[in-house]
Amino acid sequence: MNAADLGLQEEGAREALPNKGAAGRRVGVPSTALFTDQYELTMVRAALRAGTADRRSVFEVFTRRLPEGRRYGVVAGTGRVLDAVENFRFDPDVLGFLREQGIVDEPTLQWLAAYRFSGDIWGYPEGEVYFPGSPILRVEGSFAECVLLETVILSILNHDSAIAAAASRMSAAAGGRRLIEMGARRTHELAAVASARAAYVGGFDSTSDLAAGFRYGIPTVGTSAHAFTLLHDTERDAFQAQVNTLGGGTTLLVDTYDVTEAVRTAVEVAGKDLGAVRIDSGDLLLVAHRVRQQLDELGAKDTKIVVTSDLDEYAIASLAAAPVDAYGVGTQLVTGSGHPTCSMVYKLVARARSADPEAPLTPVAKKSLGGKASVGGRKWAARRVDAEGVAEAEVVGTGPVPPELADRGLLVELVKGGDVVAHEPLQAARARHMAARAGLPMSAMQLSRGEAVLPTEYV
């Protein structure tokens, strides 16, 4: 283990593990059927009794607004949604629980026992950016089979997209410097794995979370904490033990006691080829400059500097002029940097008037005086660009797609007839996000508060 373990290797020198489907390893996933709200099941029960459960329906996921100050959103969690749909099965234990609690009746239990989503899902591909009103996901099938997926889809997309948006802002602020996700200890253990995945989509290079590395093939990193230094009688003893085990290319933590003395000792122990030093406290801008000067004077000109300590996109931006090579981010990343959800909703936008598969779809929409109105109709979306190829508007419509936007469509087929058709390596979503972000106006990268960088036009 050396400086590369903190993500300091040259770009492209280390790749994620080959993906099997959307994951680095195929990991058994339990039934996702109870990742839902009870009213989804009571609606199915009532619809079955009323004879309306089989009406062809279209649900869409969208958000009415971006979190305050955000200029674009990032679609993340799509791969996890596809896994959840595949594993949405009511096994005997789940059915037994529903029966014991009296949540649904026997006819509904029989229907649930045979449940398999058989419809179609279209959506923005993972890593794409979105704006208010963007039809991020479109789920089509019978009312009953579609409505059951509402909660699990929203819980995944709202969480992962929030983390990816924060990660994207931090990635933009980092200006090409390496980013390490280190938030596992700041959130729920399962949310930590999802957060690491979303952060990777948003532009982070590695994670400290081994479960995320195992499951999704994300490069993992890590060397030592302050406890390791405190364990030993002297700081020199701690550094020597680490170097003896991991080699001179390792990263040494230098702010347990006196930073200046620690840097001197680190170079004496590891030599001028010391991989990196990590600074976890103090005035990071000032300390980084002093450490860089000291390392250079000691001949360790190639030793990298990693900084951690409650960083967010604003702190990262403030360190742009500092001689920093990598940032480690935890709390602010896994909490969405102040916006832990995207306020996405899942709304019925069209339905047939009968169970006849050939019955035409009728647009439906919620009317509200409280800002919760929705726009009816099965939608498409395209992104209009200017003469320079820079995005200038998100165009959403329900009728024919204008010829000039025919090749700018954003939705792709994810599930066809109940079968997932769009599993992809996580690296593909990450690369897609970098390309999508690069196609936005430059003002999208500003950290100052502002409105969505693209207007949403309905046609």
Side-chain angles (χ1 to χ4, degrees):
M1 189 178 295
N2 51 39
D5 296 309
L6 281 177
L8 299 179
Q9 71 285 359
E10 291 300 316
E11 188 70 34
R14 182 176 181 177
E15 297 180 355
L17 294 171
N19 290 81
K20 298 180 180 179
R25 303 287 199 290
R26 271 300 184 191
V27 179
V29 178
S31 168
T32 54
L34 291 185
F35 292 163
T36 191
D37 292 301
Q38 182 168 320
Y39 79 169
E40 313 291 7
L41 298 184
T42 57
M43 283 191 286
V44 169
R45 176 181 179 180
L48 287 169
R49 185 170 183 177
T52 54
D54 291 332
R55 288 187 176 186
R56 190 160 59 102
S57 301
V58 179
F59 287 82
E60 289 177 352
V61 174
F62 63 93
T63 184
R64 297 182 177 92
R65 65 191 66 83
L66 296 177
E68 184 180 0
R70 297 290 167 88
R71 297 172 183 264
Y72 62 92
V74 181
V75 178
T78 308
R80 296 209 306 123
V81 166
L82 298 180
D83 288 341
V85 171
E86 287 184 316
N87 289 283
F88 205 91
R89 304 284 188 268
F90 292 85
D91 58 36
D93 288 342
V94 170
L95 293 169
F97 165 75
L98 297 176
R99 180 180 289 110
E100 292 167 5
Q101 299 299 313
I103 293 171
V104 293
D105 57 11
E106 284 300 322
T108 305
L109 284 169
Q110 293 176 21
W111 185 89
L112 294 175
Y115 179 86
R116 301 289 186 275
F117 180 73
S118 63
D120 302 327
I121 299 178
W122 288 70
Y124 281 38
E126 190 157 20
E128 183 58 84
V129 296
Y130 70 87
F131 300 91
S134 297
I136 296 164
L137 202 71
R138 191 176 71 217
V139 183
E140 304 181 32
S142 72
F143 173 83
E145 67 177 339
C146 293
V147 77
L148 282 179
L149 299 176
E150 175 180 6
T151 302
V152 70
I153 285 176
L154 287 179
S155 65
I156 292 172
L157 292 181
N158 267 314
H159 173 270
D160 289 23
S161 296
I163 305 305
S168 179
R169 285 163 60 86
M170 294 174 190
S171 172
R177 295 172 177 176
R178 311 294 283 182
L179 288 163
I180 308 158
E181 185 278 314
M182 305 171 64
R185 64 191 62 190
R186 299 293 189 239
T187 188
H188 185 280
E189 66 272 18
L190 298 182
V193 181
S195 295
R197 183 187 184 281
Y200 190 69
V201 171
F204 272 59
D205 301 286
S206 55
T207 178
S208 66
D209 191 285
L210 290 178
F214 176 79
R215 187 179 185 94
Y216 297 116
I218 302 169
T220 58
V221 303
T223 49
S224 67
H226 291 102
F228 186 75
T229 301
L230 295 170
L231 167 69
H232 292 81
D233 295 334
T234 68
E235 194 167 48
R236 180 180 294 273
D237 290 344
F239 289 172
Q240 191 66 63
Q242 185 172 328
V243 170
N244 288 347
T245 304
L246 304 178
T250 191
T251 299
L252 296 175
L253 181 59
V254 296
D255 71 325
T256 305
Y257 304 119
D258 179 84
V259 173
T260 301
E261 183 61 30
V263 171
R264 181 181 301 109
T265 302
V267 176
E268 289 175 357
V269 171
K272 296 178 181 179
D273 293 327
L274 170 63
V277 295
R278 178 163 73 95
I279 307 166
D280 188 52
S281 59
D283 183 335
L284 296 179
L285 179 62
L286 175 63
V287 175
H289 276 288
R290 288 178 174 174
V291 168
R292 181 74 271 160
Q293 180 179 355
Q294 185 181 7
L295 286 170
D296 291 347
E297 290 173 350
L298 292 171
K301 296 182 181 296
D302 294 326
T303 298
K304 308 297 185 183
I305 297 177
V306 182
V307 296
T308 53
S309 185
D310 294 325
L311 300 178
D312 61 10
E313 59 265 50
Y314 301 102
I316 291 171
S318 72
L319 291 169
V324 171
D325 300 285
Y327 305 94
V329 190
T331 303
Q332 291 302 318
L333 177 61
V334 299
T335 57
S337 195
H339 296 292
T341 183
C342 301
S343 300
M344 293 179 186
V345 295
Y346 184 97
K347 297 298 181 183
L348 181 66
V349 296
R351 53 90 173 172
R353 293 187 177 276
S354 72
D356 182 350
E358 303 302 320
L361 290 170
T362 300
V364 295
K366 175 182 178 180
K367 293 183 179 180
S368 173
L369 299 177
K372 288 191 173 184
S374 56
V375 178
R378 182 179 184 272
K379 299 175 193 67
W380 53 263
R383 189 162 299 145
R384 192 173 68 237
V385 300
D386 62 19
E388 303 299 323
V390 178
E392 63 179 11
E394 195 86 339
V395 185
V396 177
T398 56
V401 180
E404 66 274 15
L405 295 175
D407 62 346
R408 302 294 304 175
L410 292 167
L411 278 72
V412 299
E413 191 169 35
L414 302 172
V415 177
K416 183 177 183 179
D419 296 324
V420 174
V421 297
H423 277 313
E424 65 178 3
L426 193 59
Q427 182 66 38
R430 173 185 168 87
R432 182 181 296 116
H433 176 61
M434 295 298 105
R437 192 177 71 185
L440 296 177
M442 292 183 65
S443 57
M445 304 305 110
Q446 293 177 345
L447 296 180
S448 58
R449 294 187 179 277
E451 299 299 319
V453 73
L454 296 187
T456 302
E457 299 178 359
Y458 292 94
V459 298

